[in-house]
Amino acid sequence: MAEGRKQPTVSSGIAGLDEILRGGLPAANLYILQGDPGAGKTTAALQFLRAGVEAGERCIYVSLSQSAAELQAIASSHGWTLDGIRVEELSASEAVNGGADQTIFQTSELRLDETRKAIESAIEEHKPHRLVYDSLLEIRLITGDAPRFRRELIGFKAFLATRGIVALLLDTQTSGGDHNGEEIEGIAHGVIRLDKTLEEYGSVRRRIEVSKMRGVAVADGYHDMAIREGEGIVVFPRIVPGVGGEVVKPQLIKSGVETLDEMFGGGQESGTITLVIGQSGTGKSTMSSLYATAALQRGESVALFLFEERLETFFRRSEGLSMDLRQFYHDGQLVIHDFSPNQVSPGEFGQIVQRVVEQNQTRVVVIDSFTGYLNSLPHREKAVLDIQSLLKHLARANVLTMLIVAQHGLLGQNVGIDVDVSFLGDTVLLLRMIEHEGRLRRNITVVKKRHGPHDLNVRELFIASSGVTVIPYNPLPET
């Protein structure tokens, strides 16, 4: 291929996968789609062929393992049809009538030969642009050994190449790893793997990996995916923050409470991440509502992602502090996503946040609570690493991101955080609560601010129906 010329591609039928592939599958090649039963191979294959139909291409589904009725049932479950897709039903185990009576040829060789002829005949008759071959398991069982299986694949690849067909061959993986995968990966132009993991609690986790793709600098590694009714497979490419582009001068983002802004040296800076850390009842969510209200009143867009508090509870709590956010929500200036536990994977969450920020030119993002988000995931330590890329992306988009982090323990006893996330924040706002003379007192301190000066003094925080007040801290008298 000449330097500077991009290899022509075809759509996989899955938008997120095309993004991982930097545009789509390189045309006129053979690809392997691997995955355990139930991983979504047939659904992905149908999406691949439907994309071909939409592009005006002839498409054929050669099935050695499923009937046309079964394929139609899968398509119907998503509201699709097989219109424009030719389904060729073959049976490798019954390709030869009376094969057991043959004495010159081995039954397996005869079945393999007849199966190959039937497939090639169907291709010659319909002359497809795209082909799905379902599945290699049946051919592997007929050939019986790795060398014969490899020769069969090489011959089939050559047959397809002379006709310019883009072929997707489905293969079932096993945990034992004795599927002779090396010869498949060596022959195929690309290998895509679908991974399905059932955690001890919650829904199944699905991921996709492009383990090989010749001539394409793919976004390697695992990417989260889901199978949705009416949509089929949806892939959420892992966010990779771009290199620093145009330097944007940070803007001071104020809370609307002058004494609080003074603690940050005049206000918080856009393009930074703030951790609001405290125990239950210290006012963490109130801080997020405060900054959200001030930004909305300035005409800026705000996005809130709730993992613990219900939407109505959030509105009522804010209204109880003289912060009415309902109208901003109804007008679309305030975007709120209310997630249930285990509802969203890290990859999907990152895509949702990215889309909201880009579509609404959002200036302030609040995740309340980040602890609730981590608790909804099976591997919290890995989730912290996943979200680093999202936070860097938001910072480069000049967004102020506030993460609400809950501490366990009450009134200063046994205070701690299950997962260390302090390194994520450019700014750390610590809220505490102490007891004095039968009354609880809230303290507020800026313990860290990477950019610019900040106040190190401890101040007292008052939360009342009239609003939020921050005053110099009056220490307890010595006894």
Side-chain angles (χ1 to χ4, degrees):
M1 184 170 60
E3 185 177 355
R5 289 183 58 189
K6 184 178 179 181
Q7 187 175 2
T9 60
V10 299
S11 172
S12 67
I14 303 171
L17 179 56
D18 286 345
E19 183 178 335
I20 295 171
L21 295 170
R22 311 303 188 194
L25 296 166
N29 288 302
L30 182 146
Y31 302 94
I32 304 294
L33 179 63
Q34 296 179 332
D36 291 324
K41 298 186 299 298
T42 303
T43 301
L46 290 176
Q47 289 177 255
F48 168 70
L49 295 181
R50 282 170 51 81
V53 172
E54 292 178 2
E57 300 171 348
R58 292 185 296 275
C59 301
I60 183 171
Y61 194 114
V62 177
S63 177
L64 280 71
S65 59
Q66 300 188 81
S67 66
E70 290 173 321
L71 293 174
Q72 182 61 63
I74 295 172
S76 298
S77 68
H78 295 292
W80 305 336
T81 70
L82 297 180
D83 294 347
I85 300 175
R86 176 80 180 192
V87 178
E88 285 290 332
E89 295 181 67
L90 301 175
S91 176
S93 61
E94 299 176 359
V96 182
N97 293 325
D101 297 333
Q102 300 294 329
T103 57
I104 300 177
F105 301 104
Q106 293 182 11
T107 301
S108 60
E109 292 180 353
L110 191 56
R111 287 177 176 173
L112 181 62
D113 184 60
E114 292 298 320
T115 301
R116 183 193 312 113
K117 288 180 179 179
I119 295 172
E120 292 178 354
S121 176
I123 293 173
E124 292 288 14
E125 179 183 354
H126 303 299
K127 295 180 172 54
H129 298 94
R130 298 191 186 208
L131 175 139
V132 167
Y133 192 113
D134 183 6
S135 72
L136 290 180
L137 174 61
E138 283 70 17
I139 302 302
R140 183 181 287 107
L141 293 175
I142 294 176
T143 55
D145 60 73
R148 291 174 63 193
F149 179 59
R150 180 180 178 84
R151 288 196 300 270
E152 190 67 23
L153 279 183
I154 292 174
F156 188 54
K157 177 183 178 181
F159 176 83
L160 296 174
T162 59
R163 291 155 180 80
I165 298 173
V166 184
L168 190 64
L169 279 59
L170 310 189
D171 190 30
T172 302
Q173 287 181 308
T174 62
S175 57
D178 51 357
H179 253 205
N180 301 313
E182 292 184 1
E183 73 271 6
I184 296 179
E185 296 189 8
I187 295 170
H189 192 83
V191 179
I192 301 170
R193 293 195 176 109
L194 303 182
D195 180 70
K196 174 185 174 184
T197 305
L198 184 61
E199 304 292 344
E200 293 183 3
Y201 176 77
S203 59
V204 65
R205 182 180 183 186
R206 300 181 184 273
R207 300 182 298 176
I208 189 170
E209 177 201 12
V210 180
S211 62
K212 170 188 175 182
M213 192 60 59
R214 289 178 179 149
V216 180
V218 301
D220 57 4
Y222 281 112
H223 304 264
D224 287 326
M225 59 167 269
I227 300 180
R228 300 274 171 76
E229 184 178 349
E231 297 179 82
I233 288 181
V234 183
V235 174
F236 310 104
R238 194 177 61 256
I239 294 177
V240 180
V243 295
E246 181 182 356
V247 178
V248 180
K249 184 178 180 180
Q251 298 176 341
L252 282 181
I253 297 181
K254 297 181 179 293
S255 66
V257 178
E258 185 176 354
T259 49
L260 176 59
D261 294 332
E262 290 175 357
M263 297 180 68
F264 292 101
Q268 298 202 58
E269 292 185 354
S270 60
T272 62
I273 295 95
T274 297
L275 300 182
V276 183
I277 302 177
Q279 301 151 274
S280 177
T282 52
K284 301 184 300 299
S285 296
T286 299
M287 286 293 107
S288 64
S289 298
L290 190 67
Y291 277 91
T293 301
L296 292 166
Q297 290 175 344
R298 291 192 299 268
E300 301 170 357
S301 295
V302 176
L304 270 68
F305 302 93
L306 306 179
F307 284 91
E308 293 182 353
E309 199 170 37
R310 294 186 301 109
L311 185 60
E312 183 60 27
T313 304
F314 167 78
F315 283 136
R316 290 186 179 182
R317 177 182 53 77
S318 300
E319 289 165 355
L321 301 174
S322 300
M323 292 181 281
D324 189 0
L325 299 174
R326 288 183 190 266
Q327 192 57 49
F328 293 109
Y329 173 70
H330 293 312
D331 292 343
Q333 188 180 345
L334 171 62
V335 176
I336 302 179
H337 283 263
D338 179 12
F339 297 103
S340 299
N342 301 300
Q343 181 183 354
V344 63
S345 66
E348 182 177 4
F349 176 66
Q351 291 294 321
I352 292 173
V353 176
Q354 186 180 30
R355 183 175 63 252
V356 168
V357 169
E358 291 176 353
Q359 291 178 349
N360 299 278
Q361 296 183 330
T362 304
R363 307 312 309 151
V364 177
V365 167
V366 177
I367 301 176
D368 187 2
S369 75
F370 187 54
T371 310
Y373 167 69
L374 294 179
N375 287 339
S376 69
L377 301 172
H379 306 290
R380 289 181 290 174
E381 293 80 3
K382 294 180 181 179
V384 171
L385 298 178
D386 287 337
I387 206 167
Q388 274 189 287
S389 295
L390 172 63
L391 295 178
K392 287 183 179 180
H393 175 82
L394 294 176
R396 288 172 180 169
N398 210 31
V399 173
L400 170 64
T401 305
M402 300 185 68
L403 305 180
I404 309 303
V405 181
Q407 292 179 307
H408 56 72
L410 292 174
L411 300 181
Q413 301 299 317
N414 302 319
V415 174
I417 303 173
D418 292 336
V419 179
D420 182 18
V421 295
S422 58
F423 66 95
L424 295 176
D426 299 304
T427 305
V428 177
L429 183 63
L430 178 63
L431 304 178
R432 293 176 294 176
M433 189 177 290
I434 63 172
E435 181 182 2
H436 173 60
E437 295 182 351
R439 184 176 71 87
L440 295 178
R441 302 175 66 176
R442 295 186 177 94
N443 296 339
I444 181 170
T445 315
V446 179
V447 299
K448 172 185 176 183
K449 187 171 185 284
R450 285 188 179 135
H451 308 281
H454 65 93
D455 186 357
L456 290 172
N457 294 325
V458 177
R459 301 202 183 193
E460 191 162 5
L461 173 66
F462 289 93
I463 301 175
S465 58
S466 57
V468 175
T469 306
V470 176
I471 65 171
Y473 183 70
N474 183 20
L476 300 177
E478 296 183 1
T479 57

